[in-house]
Amino acid sequence: MPETCTLSIDGARVSVPQGTTVAAAVLLSGVPGLRRSVRGEQRGPLCGMGICFECRVTINGRPHARSCQVVCEHGMEVRTND
Amino acid sequence: MTDAVRSFDVLIVGAGPAGIAAACAASECGRTVGMVDDNPTPGGQNWRGEAPTPNTAESAAWYRRLLAAEIDFVRGASVFAQLGSGVLLAESADAIHELRYAKLILATGARERFLPFPGWTLPNVMGAGGLQALVKSGLPISGMRVIVAGSGPLLLAVAAYLKKHGARVLLIAEQATRARLVRFAAGLLRYPGKLFQGMEMRRSLSGIPYLSDCWTVSAEGKDKLERATLRQRQKIWTLECDYLACGFHLVPNTELAELLGCELREGSVRVDEWQETSVAGVFCAGEPTGIGGLELALAEGQITGYAAAGQPDTARPIFSERRKLRRFALLLEETFRLRKELKSLPGAETIVCRCEDVTFERLRRHNSWRAAKLETRCGMGPCQGRVCGAAAEFLFGWQAEPVRPPVFPASVEALAVSAPSGSGSSIRD
Amino acid sequence: MKEIREGGVELDDGTILSAGRVVNAAGTWAPDLTHGLNVRKRKGHLVITDRYPAFLRHQVVELGYLKSAHSGTSDSVAFNVQPRKTGQLLIGSSRQYGAEDTRVESGMLARMLERACEYMPGVAKLSAIRSWTGFRAATPDKLPLIGPAPGQQNLSLATGHEGLGITTSLATARLLVDQLLGRVSAIPVEPYLPSRIAPVMAHA
């Protein structure tokens, strides 16, 4: 049984397999998108490799983190669409 | 002030296949080698996530070799600027890194080319490599209906991967003409290794329609993707789906090379037979020198590693393989060239610059990248034109402007690092 | 623009535009059109961050900004942060003489940002996405040139405003128009007359 990691996504506790990136964790937790565009449109990840910046979320209080490049850590606090 | 200073004989930016091959070669020549990559583990795109459990015998062999080479891997760090001659700066989530080197190898890979079409900004529309990367990073795909579209051999690799992980791949839509694809298949006869791979892939993809002359006309859905409309010659139809994996082949990541003053030729970094760029001591291997695939990246990586380590004779035997694989790269370029019909994909209201929400209609009033940028802010967001720039180049023929630091967004304090550590006090008013 | 001449200007495609009076308001390129004009390029660097809407509500500038702007010779930096409508922070400022190209210089950028972090530590962790440079038009005594070009018939100058070109553009226009129409201005014009600096200038 692979190890899991528990983090908080928009206040909800989510458990994911070790090694899952924050972007994948947000999507599999049911949150529809990661950020709002400047016009307020819902956006999700596009490139999956850290160059498009569509996957930006706030991690442990720091905004504009590229979530597809960050592996989930125990106790991480993630906020989307803010 | 930097948090960590490291010095190497050879520093390699990028830990994909080319970087890994270069690192192994240089290290085996007795040089101290460092590798820096913004991903948490080595592998780049091709071997993403394979560090613990390689998928092929080939990648397994390289990973074993990498482990044995004892290379200093600076993980999760983006190189954003040059501090001075022989020193690069990189930033990770918790540290600023000063990376010193005698020789530098740029193995910065490639990114997908995205072309805008109505609905492409909906959640669950991703790049082809993009969706694959997300699945490799933990996104469940089993049972999901996926359309793979765009152009290039990557589409097939992605479709095979997704199918293997339980996705229902509805079809693969390739914009290239049937005639070009037939010529490509015939061309593969000269590369038995690739032909074999091709046949393996064909087998694994049996049951999934592979449509030529076909592309996505639009993606639709309320808050996320629900269906996509496709076109193949005169036929237009709509399919319900959960994910659209859409990318139009690859674009080299040349930004760091440009910042360092390396000359480009037709969008790729110009190198000599030793893979050295126009800047002495700076080498380049893999996709940034021209999109050519995995085997070419490995060959170039090895040549570069030996050359940078000062043992060019060890590199010579690989020259003929590189020559052969470069011909394959030309075949790729020929086959998957974008057709002009794709220029009419975006509608007036289709967003082209996703960072700043600039629509096609607002852009096409201008006649240069610079003018468009100043009036619409296109290209001024955090991606700095990495997504919209390639699209604008195809749609309008616009050339991007020279690269300025930071090459990737960096914290203000990281950019404030002024002098190499130990070189004296920082300048004050 | 190709050149200014008696009675008008010639464009680089050969077109001639005739006018009774020409105003050279070409900023750092004004000397290209009017030889001998003592206007020098003063290079400045700027950095802009990603969007942080709640971070700052108004511009913040250090008093040393004035000292920096008025220095005649050396390279200098001064703290200057401005929130944009987008929520991005615009961070400056720097001044250099003798730098003629638009290249972003890491050393100057670093000095400028180090100063910004000293004055406003909260700025240190913000994500900087872009840097660029621009040139200000600087005169020897730090005041703009507004008025007739000495030794030239029918040529006026409106340039050399250093970092305050946009801010003082309206006032500059009023002073210039007053002169052209022979009116008395609301404020003394002598400090700004080009004749104070150079006796004679020539067309390029």
Side-chain angles (χ1 to χ4, degrees), chain A residues 20-21 37 39 43 46-47 54, chain B residues 38 126-127 130 137 354 357:
Chain A
T20 304
T21 61
S37 76
R39 295 202 307 202
R43 294 284 170 82
L46 174 72
C47 77
E54 290 281 52
Chain B
D38 58 2
M126 304 187 199
S137 316
R354 297 172 67 124
D357 280 7

Side-chain angles (χ1 to χ4, degrees), chain B residues 46-47 50 53-64 164 294:
Chain B
N46 245 295
W47 296 337
E50 285 188 38
T53 47
N55 284 345
T56 62
E58 183 174 50
S59 63
W62 278 105
Y63 274 112
R64 268 197 304 276
K164 190 165 141 202
L294 175 63

Side-chain angles (χ1 to χ4, degrees), chain C residues 58-200:
Chain C
H58 47 82
Q59 182 166 10
V60 189
V61 170
E62 64 156 292
L63 284 180
Y65 184 90
L66 299 174
K67 187 169 113 194
S68 171
H70 287 243
S71 161
T73 46
S74 57
D75 295 351
S76 60
V77 298
F79 167 68
N80 185 337
V81 175
Q82 196 187 107
R84 310 294 287 172
K85 262 198 330 243
T86 57
Q88 294 171 278
L89 279 305
L90 184 65
I91 306 175
S93 63
S94 78
R95 284 172 159 78
Q96 292 166 270
Y97 278 122
E100 296 289 313
D101 64 276
T102 55
R103 199 177 48 93
V104 170
E105 297 166 51
S106 293
M108 280 309 298
L109 209 64
R111 271 179 73 182
M112 185 178 88
L113 295 177
E114 204 182 337
R115 190 133 186 120
C117 291
E118 278 172 9
Y119 273 86
M120 188 173 260
V123 119
K125 303 288 185 198
L126 303 186
S127 175
I129 60 178
R130 205 158 67 85
S131 70
W132 67 100
T133 64
F135 293 113
R136 306 174 187 82
T139 59
D141 63 358
K142 309 289 161 295
L143 295 175
L145 304 170
I146 307 172
Q152 296 303 317
Q153 288 274 61
N154 306 321
L155 174 66
S156 290
L157 303 173
T159 185
H161 293 74
E162 230 271 354
L164 290 174
I166 295 175
T167 313
T168 59
S169 57
L170 298 174
T172 300
R174 283 177 68 172
L175 289 177
L176 201 57
V177 167
D178 286 341
Q179 287 178 47
L180 294 175
L181 299 181
R183 296 196 299 226
V184 175
S185 291
I187 62 169
V189 304
E190 289 74 21
Y192 314 113
L193 291 178
S195 52
R196 75 186 191 273
I197 297 192
V200 178

Side-chain angles (χ1 to χ4, degrees), chain A residues 5 37 41:
Chain A
C5 163
S37 76
E41 293 172 6

Side-chain angles (χ1 to χ4, degrees), chain B residues 6-23:
Chain B
R6 289 175 170 85
S7 287
F8 307 103
D9 293 331
V10 180
L11 173 66
I12 301 169
V13 181
I20 290 173

